[in-house]
Amino acid sequence: MKEAFKDKFLMGVAINRSQINQANKEEIDLITSQFNALTAENDMKWMYLHPKQDEFNFEQADKLVELAAENDMFVVGHTLVWHSQLAPWVFKTAEGDTIDDAELTNRLKNHISTIVGKYKGKIEGWDVVNEALAEDGSYRKSAFFKIGGEGFIENAFRFAHEADPEAELYYNDYNLINADKRDGAIRIVKNLKSKGIKIDGVGVQAHWSLNEPSIEEIETAIEMYAATGVKVMFTELDITVLPSPWEKSTADISTRFENSPTMNPYPESLPDSVQTQLANRYADIFELFNKHSDKISRVTFWGLHDGLSWKNNFPIRGRTDYTLLFDRNMKPKKAYLAVIQTVED
Ligand code: XIL
């Protein structure tokens, strides 16, 4: 895949802890032969990298960076500032009170400078801020926002840039194709740029389904983001084939629903007709990406194969989903061939 798309954009994959530790050689071979960019699926989130105020834990991140260096892969740092998978100490003083804006700024500076500084020149792109928007495009009312206002976003990008002036800096979120949220992200980009703060890209998570969002909506968003002068990235691509319990899709990881046979229609295997639908959907998406490859710098899949996809447990636990290009035996699916075909036509 990385060969097929080498003139278009990077092809990345998110890897889990066992893969970072190279527990299974077959998985590592597939990762390094197919992809040229790596993201840690979980291990570089705040709760793991910075579990206590005076304690950083770089063991897994170091291993990921080493694996990438050995195989000439681009490394994405995911993620510096996010309201989820955070450490409990972040908003509290030693006395248990909520910190004020000045202290939040101190803590963000220490967190970001230490991490970005440590991987200066090694981690080439950072999801500096993840998921700071609500569905209507206003700011998400997270503790970061309640304490720091929109200034927390500006500070985060400033501190990251100071720690590694060469690193690319991204704003990352889900549902960034929807008009309201898309316009919110564009507002963030413009606001940062108007203040002279560096931002290089918008990361569209791309937890999508067979029908949503439409190719037209994706195309409009690509064009609108690119028009602000940033690169567009599809940073967490997966396509669920399962029914959604929501009216509108989301990737808010705090929401969960009950499992049931209707919600889990393919526990044993995926019918050929749906396999074909998935392949066609992936082909349509990559045809669009290819058309706009001058604006797109990377496409990262959220997991190596169907058996490892987070969608098997989100937003309902214990389902069998078929979101990715490799099946549970790590064999390329029809969708894999369809994706490759979009560049071979
Ligand atoms: C997910 C991981 O895939 C899961 O293993 C974990 O339990 C929860 O987080 N948006 C993001 C990703 O930015 O970090 C999330 O990853 C999926 C939604």
Side-chain angles (χ1 to χ4, degrees):
M1 231 163 15
K2 65 180 177 188
E3 268 305 302
F5 286 87
K6 70 173 185 309
D7 299 327
K8 307 267 190 232
F9 31 73
L10 293 170
M11 287 293 248
V13 62
I15 63 172
N16 62 24
R17 183 164 302 178
S18 124
Q19 293 165 338
I20 291 176
N21 288 291
Q22 305 196 32
N24 178 328
K25 185 170 181 308
E26 216 187 321
E27 288 180 13
I28 299 302
D29 288 346
L30 192 59
I31 290 165
T32 56
S33 62
Q34 296 287 338
F35 300 96
N36 49 20
L38 286 182
T39 306
E41 184 178 358
N42 286 298
D43 285 294
M44 293 182 64
K45 293 170 182 175
W46 196 312
M47 64 185 285
Y48 298 112
L49 271 192
H50 195 177
K52 299 200 178 117
Q53 189 163 7
D54 52 2
E55 185 184 314
F56 287 87
N57 181 356
F58 292 121
E59 200 187 325
Q60 302 303 320
D62 283 349
K63 287 184 191 168
L64 182 144
V65 167
E66 208 176 286
L67 176 65
E70 279 163 8
N71 293 283
D72 206 12
M73 300 169 99
F74 184 96
V75 187
V76 184
H78 176 77
T79 170
L80 292 169
V81 183
W82 186 27
H83 63 275
S84 271
Q85 294 181 285
L86 198 60
W89 60 271
V90 176
F91 302 115
K92 294 285 173 212
T93 65
E95 293 73 40
D97 299 324
T98 301
I99 57 169
D100 62 11
D101 187 16
E103 180 57 15
L104 176 64
T105 304
N106 284 336
R107 290 182 184 192
L108 282 175
K109 185 166 172 67
N110 179 42
H111 178 73
I112 294 171
S113 319
T114 306
I115 296 169
V116 177
K118 174 169 163 64
Y119 295 108
K120 187 175 173 185
K122 293 183 178 151
I123 293 188
E124 298 147 280
W126 284 98
D127 290 340
V128 178
V129 174
N130 196 28
E131 303 184 353
L133 290 168
E135 295 313 295
D136 66 359
S138 67
Y139 289 109
R140 178 189 285 271
K141 308 304 175 281
S142 69
F144 287 113
F145 181 76
K146 285 185 184 153
I147 300 170
E150 66 182 344
F152 92 84
I153 301 175
E154 296 160 16
N155 284 332
F157 278 84
R158 246 193 226 112
F159 299 148
H161 182 54
E162 281 164 17
D164 185 355
E166 302 296 316
E168 292 191 347
L169 307 181
Y170 317 131
Y171 176 72
N172 196 60
D173 210 329
Y174 61 89
N175 284 355
L176 283 191
I177 302 302
N178 297 354
D180 288 344
K181 216 162 168 180
R182 175 198 69 205
D183 293 348
I186 289 173
R187 200 182 63 242
I188 291 177
V189 173
K190 288 188 170 163
N191 177 53
L192 292 172
K193 283 184 176 279
S194 76
K195 295 186 170 159
I197 302 168
K198 182 172 128 102
I199 173 164
D200 301 285
V202 168
V204 175
Q205 287 185 7
H207 299 295
W208 291 341
S209 70
L210 288 173
N211 303 307
E212 284 190 334
S214 73
I215 295 299
E216 293 71 28
E217 289 169 314
I218 303 170
E219 181 160 43
T220 304
I222 293 173
E223 287 168 342
M224 289 180 72
Y225 288 129
T228 68
V230 296
K231 292 178 186 168
V232 184
M233 268 144 278
F234 295 91
T235 57
E236 305 184 12
L237 178 58
D238 49 32
I239 298 182
T240 182
V241 301
L242 300 182
S244 164
W246 283 291
E247 283 174 37
K248 271 268 165 217
S249 67
T250 182
D252 186 334
I253 68 166
S254 62
T255 324
R256 299 219 174 241
F257 297 89
E258 288 298 305
N259 203 346
S260 72
T262 0
M263 295 317 273
N264 190 28
Y266 318 119
E268 301 305 333
S269 67
L270 192 63
D272 282 345
S273 62
V274 190
Q275 198 73 261
T276 302
Q277 238 185 310
L278 179 70
N280 291 341
R281 172 72 166 148
Y282 263 116
D284 292 347
I285 288 170
F286 273 84
E287 263 157 28
L288 180 74
F289 290 173
N290 294 337
K291 176 176 170 195
H292 292 287
S293 63
D294 58 326
K295 308 173 189 70
I296 299 172
S297 57
R298 172 171 52 91
V299 177
T300 289
F301 291 85
W302 206 243
L304 180 63
H305 68 72
D306 287 347
L308 299 176
S309 171
W310 77 304
K311 297 296 290 183
N312 293 307
N313 291 300
F314 179 84
I316 300 176
R317 281 188 205 278
R319 295 198 294 177
T320 307
D321 208 339
Y322 300 83
T323 53
L324 297 164
L325 301 188
F326 297 96
D327 69 17
R328 286 171 165 74
N329 298 312
M330 284 189 263
K331 297 287 170 276
K333 293 156 67 177
K334 197 168 181 180
Y336 174 88
L337 300 172
V339 164
I340 298 278
Q341 205 111 68
T342 64
V343 274
E344 286 180 346
D345 289 345

